[in-house]
């Protein structure tokens, strides 16, 4: 996802927009984890996800783990 975003930015894009089946919770989690500021809109059996790049979590940010 990070590489796709880099290519998109280099080509003047500012966000991703995706249509995801409502029951595909795994993909919705991927998008909202990397883009916590994403807007989700329910449309029939789909969710429209708008992911502005400026609200992305950098790839090098790691979640602390218990030792």
């Amino acid at each position: 996802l990070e590489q796709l975003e880099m290519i998109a930015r280099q080509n003047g894009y500012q966000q991703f927009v995706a249509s995801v089946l409502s029951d595909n919770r795994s993909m919705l989690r991927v998008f909202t984890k990397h883009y916590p500021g994403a807007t989700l809109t329910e449309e029939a059996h789909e969710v429209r996800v708008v992911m502005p790049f400026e609200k992305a979590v950098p790839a090098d940010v790691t979640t602390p783990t218990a030792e």
Side-chain angles (χ1 to χ4, degrees):
L1 194 55
E2 291 85 12
Q3 290 179 345
L4 289 174
E5 181 180 322
M6 181 182 68
I7 293 166
R9 283 178 182 266
Q10 291 171 348
N11 286 282
Y13 292 89
Q14 298 177 358
Q15 66 184 13
F16 288 134
V17 178
S19 293
V20 181
L21 292 175
S22 298
D23 59 352
N24 191 350
R25 296 293 169 200
S26 296
M27 197 72 239
L28 291 170
R29 266 193 303 279
V30 168
F31 288 150
T32 57
K33 181 178 179 182
H34 189 70
Y35 298 96
T39 302
L40 282 67
T41 307
E42 296 271 344
E43 297 176 349
H45 299 290
E46 294 182 344
V47 178
R48 182 173 190 263
V49 186
V50 178
M51 301 161 274
F53 296 156
E54 75 268 2
K55 295 183 179 181
V57 174
D60 61 350
V61 173
T62 58
T63 305
T65 56
E67 293 183 24

